[in-house]
Amino acid sequence: MVSWIGGRDMKLGKVHPLTEADIDFVLDVAGGVRAHPEADKRGKPGADYYLGSTLLELKMLEDEGFLKSERQAKLAALFRPYSPERPVIVLDAEKLELGDRQRFNRIVETPIKVGIAKASKQLKQSRSEYPEAKCSVLFVVNNGYTTMSHDVLVQLVVHRTKNDTREIDAVVVAGSYFHSDGFDDCFLWPIDYIPINPENPFLEFDKLKEGWNGLADKFMTDMVTGASGPALEKGPVVDVQFDLDGVTYIRPAPVLGFPSAFYARGRPRMDSTGLSVCPPVATIFPLMSEEVWGAFNKRLNYPSCLLGSFGMWVREQGAAVRAGTSLRPTMLVPITLMSWVNWCSDQGVPETVDAIFAYINQVFTDHVREGLEDVREHDLCKCGDNPYILVVTEVIGQDKANDVSHLALVEPNPNGEFGLTPLVENARIFHEHAITLGVAYALRMGLTSVFWQKNLEYAWI
C-alpha cells in the first residue's frame, strides 16, 4: 500500500513512530485478541495475539542497525579490502563475493536473530496453553531499521527462521516507510506472508492484512488532521553513514524507484561540503620567455621582485609545477607585457608583481568560464576524433559531499577504439567541481573538449 501527501503546504517533516497500541488496532480490526491479557503479571513468556486459530508474536525493529558501532567496525573490515583506494564506500552486499555476502547478512541480521530466538520460546509456551491453535506466526514490523529495504528484510527473516527454529509455522513481515523529497511525502505500507511450515498455514492472513491497511488509512488521516498527537519523532528515510580511519561508509536510503513529478531535474540533495564557491582547480604561474621576463623586469620599479634573474624565475616556475596536485594541477599561463599593461590600465591597478598574478588569474578564470559553456554530456557518437577530457561522477545517496569523481584523457584511435589515461581517480568531489577541474585539465593540455557522465547506480531518485 502506498500513501501520498502532496504539496509544500502539507509537508509533514516528522511523524510518530508506530507503537504497540497501533498493532493492537490492527489485530482489533482483524478480529484478534491479546493471547494473554495480563501478560505483565505472568511469570512465563507468551505470544502477543490470538487471531482465529493462530498465535502471533510481535517483534518490532526499533533501531537503525547500521548505527551500532560494533556492527560498523565489522562492516568496514568486510568492505574495505574491495575498494582500498576509495574515500567513500557504499555498503552494497551485491558487490561482495558470495562468502562475504553471507557474512554481511550475518552482521546486519543480528537484531532479527535475537527476535526470532525470543519469539520461538514465546510461541512454544503459548501453544502449550492454546492446544487448539493450529498455527504459530512471527509478526515482524520494521519501525526503525529503515535502510533495510522491505524485500531484503523479508529474505533475512525467512532465512533465519528456517535455520533457527521449528516453532514458527509462518512469518509476516510489515513496515511503515516514510519518504520525503521536500515537496511530496510518501508512505509505503508493505505486508507479506511467507509460509515456513506449509502443513500449518496462516489462514487468517487476509484479515491481518485488512487490519494493517486499516492502520495505514487511520495513520494518514490522523497525520493530515493533526489527530496523531505531539510525539513526532520519526523523520523520513535518509542515508546512514559512518566514518572509520578517514573513510566514509554509506548505506544510501532506498530509492522510491520513480522520478518526481515536481522536480524536473531530479529530487534535491543535501550539500554538507560547506562550499559556496568552487574550490581552486589549478595553481597558476606566469609563463614567460627570457625576452618577456626581461621586458617585465625593466618595466617594474622593483626588479628584484622577479627574483633577480631569469634563471631563478625558471627555477621558481619548476617548483610551482612540482607543487601541483591531481586536484589542483599547475597551469602555466602565457603573458605578454603589453596585454598586462593594458589590463592594469583598464582595472586601474598599479603595475606590480601582485598585479601580474592577478592578471593571469583573470585570464585563467575567463578561459575556464568559456570552457564550462562548452562542456557536454558524453555521447560516443558525438565526441569526434580528437582527444578530450572525460569526467565521470558517481552520484551517491542524498548528500553531494559523498559523490566520487574520476577524470581521464580519452584519445580516439583510427580503428574505433579509445586510449584512456587516468588523470584523477576516486576524488571526493561532486559533479560541478569535477567538470570545472576537467576544464582546467583541458586548458593545461591544450584540448578543446570536455565531456561528462553520471553514474546513477546509487543516486537518490
Side-chain angles (χ1 to χ4, degrees), residues 105-116:
N105 289 340
R106 300 298 83 80
I107 293 171
V108 301
E109 70 186 9
T110 301
I112 300 169
K113 183 177 181 178
V114 172
I116 290 172

PDB file of all heavy atoms in Angstrom, residues 105-116:
ATOM      1  N   ASN A 105      25.180 -10.579   5.636  1.00  0.00           N
ATOM      2  CA  ASN A 105      23.845 -10.890   6.160  1.00  0.00           C
ATOM      3  C   ASN A 105      23.896 -11.236   7.642  1.00  0.00           C
ATOM      4  O   ASN A 105      23.032 -10.831   8.425  1.00  0.00           O
ATOM      5  CB  ASN A 105      23.223 -12.033   5.376  1.00  0.00           C
ATOM      6  CG  ASN A 105      22.831 -11.628   3.964  1.00  0.00           C
ATOM      7  OD1 ASN A 105      22.673 -10.444   3.669  1.00  0.00           O
ATOM      8  ND2 ASN A 105      22.682 -12.594   3.080  1.00  0.00           N
ATOM      9  N   ARG A 106      24.921 -12.003   8.028  1.00  0.00           N
ATOM     10  CA  ARG A 106      25.028 -12.376   9.442  1.00  0.00           C
ATOM     11  C   ARG A 106      25.240 -11.140  10.319  1.00  0.00           C
ATOM     12  O   ARG A 106      24.748 -11.088  11.447  1.00  0.00           O
ATOM     13  CB  ARG A 106      26.193 -13.344   9.629  1.00  0.00           C
ATOM     14  CG  ARG A 106      26.127 -14.651   8.857  1.00  0.00           C
ATOM     15  CD  ARG A 106      24.940 -15.537   9.208  1.00  0.00           C
ATOM     16  NE  ARG A 106      23.743 -15.137   8.486  1.00  0.00           N
ATOM     17  CZ  ARG A 106      23.508 -15.463   7.217  1.00  0.00           C
ATOM     18  NH1 ARG A 106      24.394 -16.141   6.528  1.00  0.00           N
ATOM     19  NH2 ARG A 106      22.373 -15.103   6.634  1.00  0.00           N
ATOM     20  N   ILE A 107      25.980 -10.154   9.792  1.00  0.00           N
ATOM     21  CA  ILE A 107      26.247  -8.937  10.574  1.00  0.00           C
ATOM     22  C   ILE A 107      24.972  -8.125  10.765  1.00  0.00           C
ATOM     23  O   ILE A 107      24.653  -7.700  11.878  1.00  0.00           O
ATOM     24  CB  ILE A 107      27.328  -8.081   9.884  1.00  0.00           C
ATOM     25  CG1 ILE A 107      28.674  -8.799   9.898  1.00  0.00           C
ATOM     26  CG2 ILE A 107      27.453  -6.720  10.578  1.00  0.00           C
ATOM     27  CD1 ILE A 107      29.738  -8.135   9.049  1.00  0.00           C
ATOM     28  N   VAL A 108      24.226  -7.898   9.670  1.00  0.00           N
ATOM     29  CA  VAL A 108      23.091  -6.971   9.747  1.00  0.00           C
ATOM     30  C   VAL A 108      21.833  -7.618  10.297  1.00  0.00           C
ATOM     31  O   VAL A 108      20.886  -6.917  10.669  1.00  0.00           O
ATOM     32  CB  VAL A 108      22.792  -6.354   8.362  1.00  0.00           C
ATOM     33  CG1 VAL A 108      24.009  -5.605   7.847  1.00  0.00           C
ATOM     34  CG2 VAL A 108      22.356  -7.421   7.355  1.00  0.00           C
ATOM     35  N   GLU A 109      21.808  -8.942  10.362  1.00  0.00           N
ATOM     36  CA  GLU A 109      20.578  -9.595  10.819  1.00  0.00           C
ATOM     37  C   GLU A 109      20.589  -9.900  12.309  1.00  0.00           C
ATOM     38  O   GLU A 109      19.668 -10.547  12.822  1.00  0.00           O
ATOM     39  CB  GLU A 109      20.358 -10.897  10.044  1.00  0.00           C
ATOM     40  CG  GLU A 109      21.337 -11.988  10.394  1.00  0.00           C
ATOM     41  CD  GLU A 109      21.196 -13.218   9.521  1.00  0.00           C
ATOM     42  OE1 GLU A 109      20.458 -13.180   8.528  1.00  0.00           O
ATOM     43  OE2 GLU A 109      21.826 -14.237   9.845  1.00  0.00           O
ATOM     44  N   THR A 110      21.588  -9.402  13.033  1.00  0.00           N
ATOM     45  CA  THR A 110      21.685  -9.708  14.461  1.00  0.00           C
ATOM     46  C   THR A 110      20.409  -9.407  15.234  1.00  0.00           C
ATOM     47  O   THR A 110      19.925 -10.266  15.996  1.00  0.00           O
ATOM     48  CB  THR A 110      22.871  -8.946  15.090  1.00  0.00           C
ATOM     49  OG1 THR A 110      24.071  -9.324  14.423  1.00  0.00           O
ATOM     50  CG2 THR A 110      22.992  -9.259  16.563  1.00  0.00           C
ATOM     51  N   PRO A 111      19.804  -8.214  15.090  1.00  0.00           N
ATOM     52  CA  PRO A 111      18.567  -7.970  15.844  1.00  0.00           C
ATOM     53  C   PRO A 111      17.433  -8.896  15.421  1.00  0.00           C
ATOM     54  O   PRO A 111      16.550  -9.221  16.229  1.00  0.00           O
ATOM     55  CB  PRO A 111      18.240  -6.512  15.533  1.00  0.00           C
ATOM     56  CG  PRO A 111      18.990  -6.190  14.283  1.00  0.00           C
ATOM     57  CD  PRO A 111      20.222  -7.031  14.313  1.00  0.00           C
ATOM     58  N   ILE A 112      17.443  -9.316  14.161  1.00  0.00           N
ATOM     59  CA  ILE A 112      16.421 -10.251  13.686  1.00  0.00           C
ATOM     60  C   ILE A 112      16.605 -11.605  14.350  1.00  0.00           C
ATOM     61  O   ILE A 112      15.644 -12.236  14.819  1.00  0.00           O
ATOM     62  CB  ILE A 112      16.488 -10.378  12.158  1.00  0.00           C
ATOM     63  CG1 ILE A 112      16.257  -9.019  11.498  1.00  0.00           C
ATOM     64  CG2 ILE A 112      15.495 -11.418  11.646  1.00  0.00           C
ATOM     65  CD1 ILE A 112      16.569  -8.993  10.020  1.00  0.00           C
ATOM     66  N   LYS A 113      17.848 -12.058  14.413  1.00  0.00           N
ATOM     67  CA  LYS A 113      18.148 -13.352  15.013  1.00  0.00           C
ATOM     68  C   LYS A 113      17.739 -13.380  16.484  1.00  0.00           C
ATOM     69  O   LYS A 113      17.146 -14.361  16.960  1.00  0.00           O
ATOM     70  CB  LYS A 113      19.642 -13.638  14.873  1.00  0.00           C
ATOM     71  CG  LYS A 113      20.075 -14.995  15.409  1.00  0.00           C
ATOM     72  CD  LYS A 113      21.560 -15.215  15.169  1.00  0.00           C
ATOM     73  CE  LYS A 113      21.987 -16.582  15.690  1.00  0.00           C
ATOM     74  NZ  LYS A 113      23.422 -16.851  15.443  1.00  0.00           N
ATOM     75  N   VAL A 114      18.048 -12.297  17.185  1.00  0.00           N
ATOM     76  CA  VAL A 114      17.675 -12.218  18.603  1.00  0.00           C
ATOM     77  C   VAL A 114      16.158 -12.275  18.760  1.00  0.00           C
ATOM     78  O   VAL A 114      15.626 -12.977  19.627  1.00  0.00           O
ATOM     79  CB  VAL A 114      18.244 -10.934  19.231  1.00  0.00           C
ATOM     80  CG1 VAL A 114      17.701 -10.745  20.645  1.00  0.00           C
ATOM     81  CG2 VAL A 114      19.764 -10.973  19.248  1.00  0.00           C
ATOM     82  N   GLY A 115      15.438 -11.542  17.913  1.00  0.00           N
ATOM     83  CA  GLY A 115      13.975 -11.533  17.987  1.00  0.00           C
ATOM     84  C   GLY A 115      13.370 -12.890  17.701  1.00  0.00           C
ATOM     85  O   GLY A 115      12.395 -13.304  18.344  1.00  0.00           O
ATOM     86  N   ILE A 116      13.931 -13.610  16.739  1.00  0.00           N
ATOM     87  CA  ILE A 116      13.411 -14.931  16.391  1.00  0.00           C
ATOM     88  C   ILE A 116      13.600 -15.902  17.542  1.00  0.00           C
ATOM     89  O   ILE A 116      12.710 -16.712  17.862  1.00  0.00           O
ATOM     90  CB  ILE A 116      14.093 -15.445  15.103  1.00  0.00           C
ATOM     91  CG1 ILE A 116      13.624 -14.631  13.896  1.00  0.00           C
ATOM     92  CG2 ILE A 116      13.815 -16.930  14.882  1.00  0.00           C
ATOM     93  CD1 ILE A 116      14.364 -14.929  12.615  1.00  0.00           C
TER      94      ILE A 116
END
